[in-house]
Amino acid sequence: MLLTLLPLAACEAPTQSLGDASRATAWRVAVERAEADVFGERLYLSGTLTAERQARLSTRADGLVAQVHVDAGDHVEAGQVLLELDPAIAHQALLRARAQATEAAAVVRETQRLVVEAQRLVDRRAIATTELAARTAAFDLARAAEESARASAREQEEIVARHELPAPFSGVLAEKLTEAGEWVQRGTPVLSLVAIDRVRLDLRVPQERFEQIDVDAQVRVFADALNGESLPARIGARVPVTDPGARTFLLRLLVDDPQERLLPGTSARAEISLSHTRQDTVSIGRDAILRQPDGNYSLYVVEGDGGQSVARRRFVRLLHEQDGRAVVTGEGVEEGEWVVIRGNEALTDGQPVDVVEP
């Protein structure tokens, strides 16, 4: 049954009171009451996912590339050998250094024997004490030469070891920048490695939001790869330096992605629950909200006007919507007012309406 309207009291449902002529021009609508709602404001921002760790790897020595064990897209573990240089020359230098260390050790043994012999002869007064002192000095010099030779051998061992390039952390090879047969030098990138077990989301946040976002804020991250799901995140860094051109600051989120579904370089959206709440909000059905061409939002409320029920347009700020409900600021609509939820698409401001029972 359709009901016409008398002027609406603040908290009373519309009542019937229209003549037949008015009925012919009134637009049929359905309404519901606006309900009070306390809203913890949420901030929605988009940004770019980046890997928490990524590196352009270079060899630890100059040399000729002998083997590249990986290719772009390969998963590698920390410590896995990715590339080898030809170690032939370095290996020969290592053999020479080891031989010199062996020679120095032999000299130490011989000079030590001479010192022991000289000590016995001095005790028998067969030689002068100056001879013992000379042999002792020669022994000390021999020991120093041995230490130097052994250090040179250890250094050369490290040089040989550096002809292999291990993975500094687990991840995926993003780029392969060299091939076997190329001569490379230290500092020249040969591989690009990206860790995908931990990703971060960099956001540019309006500067006026800086004080509202604290380290304990609840954060959820949404991305195309998640198929509508979300992942928890936490604030890793809040850089208090604004971009003077955009008036924004950097907010870096650390995303927990154990299944490695998020891909570095892709875009994602973050939902941040701000630390303050609003008391001037009301909850209404989502169908009541109309999006304007300029991007703003409006709705219609039913008011009484000289014995006629009419629709009045109110502009609102949409804060949040979920499960068919929308939360808007109370500046455009107040608690208890009747809001049009059906038949509002073709309404105009001030148009007479017939209200279906809510």
Side-chain angles (χ1 to χ4, degrees), residues 91 173 211 228:
H91 186 67
L173 267 298
E211 295 299 332

Side-chain angles (χ1 to χ4, degrees), residues 1-5 14-17 23 353-358:
M1 173 179 178
L2 298 179
L3 299 178
T4 55
L5 299 176
T15 58
Q16 180 176 355
S17 177
R23 287 177 179 274
V353 292
D354 256 345
V355 177
V356 179
E357 290 186 8

Side-chain angles (χ1 to χ4, degrees), residues 4-218:
T4 55
L5 299 176
L6 285 174
L8 298 178
C11 296
E12 295 179 354
T15 58
Q16 180 176 355
S17 177
L18 279 181
D20 293 339
S22 297
R23 287 177 179 274
T25 58
W27 190 263
R28 297 169 57 188
V29 296
V31 298
E32 71 170 38
R33 283 191 188 277
E35 301 175 355
D37 195 331
V38 177
F39 175 68
E41 189 173 1
R42 293 177 176 85
L43 184 62
Y44 296 91
L45 296 167
S46 296
T48 301
L49 292 166
T50 60
E52 188 175 5
R53 291 186 297 175
Q54 53 186 344
R56 294 173 68 85
L57 307 180
S58 61
T59 57
R60 302 181 294 171
D62 300 344
L64 186 70
V65 178
Q67 287 183 299
V68 182
H69 299 292
V70 292
D71 204 346
D74 289 350
H75 289 253
V76 299
E77 300 295 330
Q80 179 179 337
V81 176
L82 309 178
L83 176 148
E84 291 183 54
L85 301 179
D86 183 359
I89 296 177
H91 186 67
Q92 293 301 319
L94 174 60
L95 294 178
R96 182 171 60 252
R98 286 175 174 173
Q100 290 172 348
T102 301
E103 179 183 357
V107 173
V108 168
R109 290 193 298 272
E110 177 60 18
T111 54
Q112 184 179 23
R113 185 189 67 79
L114 293 176
V115 168
V116 172
E117 182 182 76
Q119 184 65 53
R120 289 198 301 269
L121 293 176
V122 167
D123 292 342
R124 297 174 186 175
R125 300 180 183 275
I127 61 173
T129 56
T130 54
E131 179 65 20
L132 175 60
R135 293 186 182 185
T136 301
F139 173 61
D140 291 337
L141 289 175
R143 286 196 302 176
E146 181 189 22
E147 288 297 325
S148 177
R150 292 190 182 280
S152 296
R154 289 192 296 269
E155 178 184 4
Q156 197 59 42
E157 288 173 355
E158 180 63 25
I159 291 176
V160 171
R162 292 191 174 203
H163 280 61
E164 293 182 346
L165 176 61
F169 51 84
S170 300
V172 175
L173 267 298
E175 291 182 281
K176 178 182 178 183
L177 304 173
T178 190
E179 292 289 351
E182 291 188 34
W183 181 270
V184 294
Q185 295 179 315
R186 286 170 290 180
T188 302
V190 293
L191 296 168
S192 178
L193 180 62
V194 179
I196 61 175
D197 57 334
R198 292 284 299 278
V199 295
R200 59 194 183 191
L201 178 60
D202 289 345
L203 305 171
R204 305 304 305 187
V205 184
Q207 61 184 11
E208 60 270 17
R209 299 288 191 176
F210 184 81
E211 295 299 332
Q212 299 174 359
I213 301 176
D214 55 39
V215 294
D216 297 325
Q218 293 184 349

Side-chain angles (χ1 to χ4, degrees), residues 10-11 33-37 281-283 330 333-338:
C11 296
R33 283 191 188 277
E35 301 175 355
D37 195 331
T281 58
V282 293
S283 172
V333 60
E334 297 180 359
E335 176 188 359
E337 288 191 296
W338 292 96

